[in-house]
Amino acid sequence: LAYEGRQDWTLAVEKLVYGPRRRANHRRASDPKLPKGFTPLAKDSPPLGKRHSIYFTLIAALADRKHLDVADFIEAGAGYTRDDPQWEPYTIFPVFEYGQPRYYQGRTYVDEADRPTKRFPNKVLFPEGSAGHLYGFDELRLKTTHCAILVESILNALSLKRKLRQEGTQGIVP
């Protein structure tokens, strides 16, 4: 990651991603847990002849509205919960670091006027908030990665990742 004339940005990202103390110093109240009852979309496999859950259907519709495919959400580890009332109306997107979920955020299944479409965990559980986590962190650590593109949201990252894959572009992580 570099900005013309600003090689120190490249070094800052390398330190963030490869720094030996990143894992040990990662601030967190405890090992983060996804919302109670979190079910990854990949595990929402109906028996032969049956339909997916209503949650899978709602999330597939959300993906379609965002010009993505539900397979993009499955690859991202997205899921849902029936057991946590605060998170039940949201598609939950985990943010992984070192292969473990370290944060998560949600997007509503249906966009409603005058209602926020995003949800973030309580700052008591995650004092650093979303600013303390980098979506795509593990992909940045791959030897094949030579460039990162910072985008504003998880859905932007998924859209750009899909576009790069369609064009056959490799080594770039949004």
Side-chain angles (χ1 to χ4, degrees):
L1 182 78
Y3 185 76
E4 190 174 349
R6 295 287 310 263
Q7 292 301 318
D8 55 325
W9 286 17
T10 302
L11 297 175
V13 171
E14 286 177 358
K15 185 176 179 181
L16 168 75
V17 174
Y18 298 110
R21 297 179 186 248
R22 169 73 180 165
R23 191 181 317 204
N25 288 341
H26 186 71
R27 292 186 307 132
R28 59 184 179 274
S30 64
D31 279 339
K33 295 188 177 18
L34 293 168
K36 181 181 175 187
F38 175 79
T39 302
L41 288 174
K43 292 193 177 183
D44 189 342
S45 302
L48 190 59
K50 300 287 182 180
R51 293 184 176 182
H52 286 285
S53 73
I54 186 64
Y55 295 94
F56 188 99
T57 304
L58 288 167
I59 292 170
L62 168 64
D64 188 57
R65 280 195 318 280
K66 301 298 181 181
H67 307 288
L68 291 161
D69 189 275
V70 71
D72 298 314
F73 284 26
I74 290 170
E75 181 185 352
Y80 59 89
T81 182
R82 300 175 192 182
D83 301 335
D84 186 329
Q86 291 183 337
W87 288 92
E88 188 274 335
Y90 295 89
T91 304
I92 300 164
F93 293 91
V95 177
F96 295 93
E97 293 180 13
Y98 298 101
Q100 299 297 313
R102 294 290 177 213
Y103 188 72
Y104 55 90
Q105 54 185 269
R107 297 295 185 272
T108 54
Y109 302 125
V110 179
D111 298 340
E112 296 179 27
D114 301 326
R115 288 196 65 198
T117 59
K118 299 176 183 177
R119 180 170 185 87
F120 301 93
N122 186 312
K123 288 270 190 176
V124 172
L125 296 174
F126 296 93
E128 68 280 6
S130 62
H133 301 277
L134 184 62
Y135 187 77
F137 178 86
D138 285 352
E139 291 175 271
L140 289 173
R141 299 174 58 240
L142 298 174
K143 298 276 186 222
T144 56
T145 299
H146 59 84
C147 181
I149 301 173
L150 295 178
V151 294
E152 186 177 359
S153 73
I154 286 177
L155 294 178
N156 292 148
L158 294 178
S159 294
L160 185 53
K161 183 186 278 190
R162 180 180 176 88
K163 180 70 172 168
L164 292 169
R165 186 172 39 238
Q166 287 171 341
E167 293 184 357
T169 304
Q170 298 177 355
I172 299 177
V173 175

